[in-house]
Amino acid sequence: MPPITLPEKPRLILKEGREQSLLRRHPWIFSGAVQRVIGAPGMGETVDVYSANGKFLAQVAYSPVSQIRARVWTFDAQAVDARFLLQRLERALEQRAALGLLEQAAVRLVYAESDGLPGLIVDRYGEVLVVQFLSAGAEFWRETLLELLSAHIPCRGIYERSDAEVRTLEGLPLRSGLVWGEAPPFVEIEEHGLRFRVDLAHGHKTGFYLDQRANRALLRSLSAGREVLDCFSYSGGFTLNALAGGARSVVAVDASAEALAQLRAHVNLNGLPLERVETIEGDAFQVLRRFRDQNRRFDLILLDPPKFAPTAAQVEKAARGYKDINLLAFKLLRPGGLLLTFSCSGGVDAALFQKIVAAAALDAGVDARIVRFLSQDADHPIALHFPESAYLKGLVCRVSGPL
Ligand code: SAH
């Protein structure tokens, strides 16, 4: 009888010297680091990674199409299965519980690589979970993950929003809809005592920008008596906090008419004074220029634009965009005015962002200083071995006057 040979788990062999980032526990393997693949792993399948000289390094999810060819599940040999995934989910929940974050109605429960679950996002809005499977590996375990989530996290329904463009880089189709239980089209959440209606099917990302929660509270504390300009306002997260903090007026600018309609509805829902709010549908770059030409002035300006540079390739163009809006904002601020300026571009790091803002102040001819550095909220933790997870950068600058 011929000996029975079990099929071997597929292997990925790295090029010589390309194991360094894995040894530092960075969870990504780029296609250029791969020497060869042994076996024929399918999309998202778990494979073992070895260095060129035969040392076991990690178990990864294989992604045949993406530049990020593999994402690490674990650096040891434990089985990657439902039990493993449940442990990672529990760890993510524990971390949030320990920080008192689970008392929030709206909270990110799982933040992908930062929680050891590459490509998986789980946000909780009231009794509904909104999930995104953004990598081949997360997609591979989709059914298992949905079962684990529904069994272990009390909720009424799970809504999938795997309609983020990054899925196409992984060769995955966009998908969204209710996947378990039931969910109303809108879920009302409360944040710092303010009520918002999150549109599960059509809201941006998973419906709300949870990462800005702490920064919205900060804004509230800075708004009393000020004339505020909220650029890229979306559904009013910052605008409502400005009003709640006693702003004299708020001008909210967004390219999306629906976002502004929601913003006005949110103002009413909270019994805040709509007469103090002006909404402008349009391109913030153009509106800022128009305000400059009209010599309009503000005491506090928020700039929270969408990603200008999702990847390193678009950095130069993004830098010009950030410089433009920050320069214009500096020109529109009265002496003593505050600028809260953000970048959520992965390709622009904190140091570069600060340089861009400094150049903008110089060209605007204003003397300004940074009074605070801001980041994403604690339910979007930054894995120390994965600096890419630190994507949201913010500065609070105070303008003293002309240079
Ligand atoms: N500050 C918000 C989130 C902003 S998200 C919050 O805390 O909830 C970015 C917003 O910018 C989106 O609402 C999008 O519609 C808008 N946007 C994108 N490009 C724009 C442009 N060129 N001008 C104005 N708004 C734009």
Side-chain angles (χ1 to χ4, degrees):
M1 259 207 346
I4 298 166
T5 51
L6 288 171
E8 269 207 43
K9 198 165 159 197
R11 286 186 179 197
L12 197 147
I13 315 292
L14 297 184
K15 289 180 185 163
E16 217 175 300
R18 299 302 289 268
E19 68 275 22
Q20 288 308 322
S21 65
L22 285 182
L23 295 175
R24 288 193 302 268
R25 300 251 159 170
H26 191 281
W28 286 354
I29 299 172
F30 286 95
S31 58
V34 177
Q35 184 197 110
R36 67 199 161 99
V37 180
I38 300 173
M43 178 88 104
E45 204 179 306
T46 307
V47 308
D48 288 335
V49 181
Y50 286 83
S51 68
N53 54 20
K55 186 172 173 281
F56 170 82
L57 296 166
Q59 295 183 75
V60 299
Y62 184 65
S63 185
V65 183
S66 175
Q67 287 295 312
I68 304 170
R69 189 52 43 93
R71 298 178 198 232
V72 175
W73 286 122
T74 175
F75 293 94
D76 58 34
Q78 68 179 301
V80 175
D81 54 13
R83 203 175 133 266
F84 168 86
L85 296 172
L86 178 59
Q87 275 173 4
R88 290 281 162 101
L89 285 174
E90 282 172 342
R91 197 175 76 183
L93 292 175
E94 264 162 38
Q95 162 142 337
R96 280 139 185 100
L99 295 170
L101 290 161
L102 296 184
E103 279 128 54
Q104 311 271 353
V107 60
R108 175 152 297 187
L109 299 178
V110 177
Y111 179 38
E113 274 80 345
S114 285
D115 286 305
L117 290 164
L120 177 69
I121 303 283
V122 182
D123 289 344
R124 189 186 72 198
Y125 295 108
E127 295 180 313
V128 179
L129 302 182
V130 182
V131 293
Q132 292 182 312
F133 302 94
L134 302 178
S135 64
E139 177 79 8
F140 183 86
W141 290 100
R142 179 172 173 274
E143 292 301 319
T144 307
L145 286 164
L146 288 173
E147 273 169 33
L148 291 172
L149 289 170
S150 60
H152 294 273
I153 303 179
C155 63
R156 261 178 61 196
I158 304 180
Y159 200 94
E160 180 172 7
R161 285 295 305 271
S162 296
D163 53 356
E165 279 303 314
V166 289
R167 291 247 315 178
T168 56
L169 301 177
E170 297 278 316
L172 300 169
L174 306 188
R175 189 198 303 116
S176 69
L178 186 69
V179 283
W180 183 84
E182 50 177 28
F186 290 89
V187 178
E188 191 175 305
I189 57 155
E190 206 182 281
E191 182 191 273
H192 313 311
L194 291 171
R195 292 153 70 194
F196 295 91
R197 279 162 56 91
V198 177
D199 184 342
L200 295 181
H202 310 105
H204 292 183
K205 304 217 278 188
T206 63
F208 202 63
Y209 289 87
L210 296 172
D211 52 355
Q212 289 283 23
R213 183 193 304 112
N215 302 328
R216 287 190 281 261
L218 172 70
L219 169 81
R220 189 190 299 195
S221 72
L222 299 171
S223 295
R226 293 186 187 260
E227 287 182 50
V228 176
L229 171 59
D230 180 4
C231 286
F232 310 95
S233 64
Y234 188 48
S235 60
F238 282 112
T239 288
L240 264 82
N241 278 282
L243 292 170
R248 181 148 11 121
S249 61
V250 184
V251 177
V253 181
D254 202 282
S256 155
E258 300 90 75
L260 292 173
Q262 272 190 320
L263 179 150
R264 288 188 295 268
H266 284 152
V267 174
N268 286 329
L269 181 66
N270 289 277
L272 291 163
L274 193 59
E275 65 280 5
R276 292 197 196 168
V277 183
E278 182 189 348
T279 51
I280 301 178
E281 180 194 340
D283 174 21
F285 287 79
Q286 282 174 21
V287 174
L288 285 164
R289 258 181 228 113
R290 194 167 79 225
F291 284 173
R292 177 199 59 195
D293 297 341
Q294 296 168 344
N295 281 320
R296 276 192 76 161
R297 292 292 176 268
F298 297 90
D299 306 304
L300 196 163
I301 300 180
L302 276 145
L303 298 175
D304 185 21
K307 261 185 236 164
F308 291 158
T311 67
Q314 300 104 321
V315 170
E316 218 173 291
K317 187 158 168 273
R320 277 199 300 278
Y322 287 122
K323 171 123 182 249
D324 270 2
I325 51 173
N326 281 281
L327 195 162
L328 288 160
F330 275 127
K331 288 198 170 181
L332 298 181
L333 280 168
R334 299 195 176 96
L338 294 174
L339 173 64
L340 269 71
T341 180
F342 295 95
S343 161
C344 58
S345 295
V348 175
D349 67 16
L352 175 59
F353 187 55
Q354 185 176 328
K355 262 191 213 155
I356 294 167
V357 175
L362 188 66
D363 286 7
V366 302
D367 184 25
R369 39 198 50 71
I370 296 169
V371 294
R372 252 179 212 275
F373 289 93
L374 305 176
S375 179
Q376 61 227 47
D377 210 338
D379 51 348
H380 297 55
I382 297 159
L384 278 170
H385 309 298
F386 183 55
E388 288 84 349
S389 55
Y391 68 98
L392 184 65
K393 296 133 308 244
L395 300 171
V396 184
C397 298
R398 184 172 188 275
V399 171
S400 339
L403 266 181

